[in-house]
Amino acid sequence: MLQITRVDIVDGQTLDIELSNGHLILFDTQHLPKADHSYDSLRELDALPRPSTDGQYIFWRGGPRISLEQILGWLSTQINPK
């Protein structure tokens, strides 16, 4: 099962995500769905605090959680728009 092995912040807004298969994902948090207001607290920050991971989720203490499945889904819609 694919897991997140490391997550960090690049340029204040981009998640640098390392996966268990060795692949890296750079995910700009400005691409989080605007309709989902659970991410509003992240959008309001000039620079994101460093997140944590449990292998399947990226999360901020007292803040939102983003699953690996969600990130992969968002990336696939950016690559293959409907």
Side-chain angles (χ1 to χ4, degrees):
M1 177 191 240
L2 192 60
Q3 293 205 331
I4 300 167
T5 57
R6 180 188 57 79
V7 63
D8 210 342
I9 300 293
V10 178
D11 76 14
Q13 293 292 324
T14 302
L15 296 175
D16 174 14
I17 305 163
E18 183 177 345
L19 303 178
S20 57
N21 64 2
H23 289 103
L24 296 174
I25 297 172
L26 293 176
F27 183 78
D28 185 347
T29 58
Q30 297 303 311
H31 295 291
L32 290 169
K34 303 234 186 293
D36 189 336
H37 296 289
S38 64
Y39 303 118
D40 288 350
S41 62
L42 296 179
R43 285 190 203 92
E44 295 169 359
L45 299 173
D46 290 331
L48 296 176
R50 186 173 183 185
S52 297
T53 185
D54 62 4
Q56 287 302 305
Y57 287 88
I58 295 169
F59 57 91
W60 289 263
R61 189 173 183 187
R65 298 171 65 86
I66 304 170
S67 72
L68 177 56
E69 184 178 326
Q70 287 173 301
I71 291 170
L72 294 175
W74 294 327
L75 291 174
S76 70
T77 59
Q78 290 177 4
I79 294 169
N80 301 309
K82 294 179 183 180

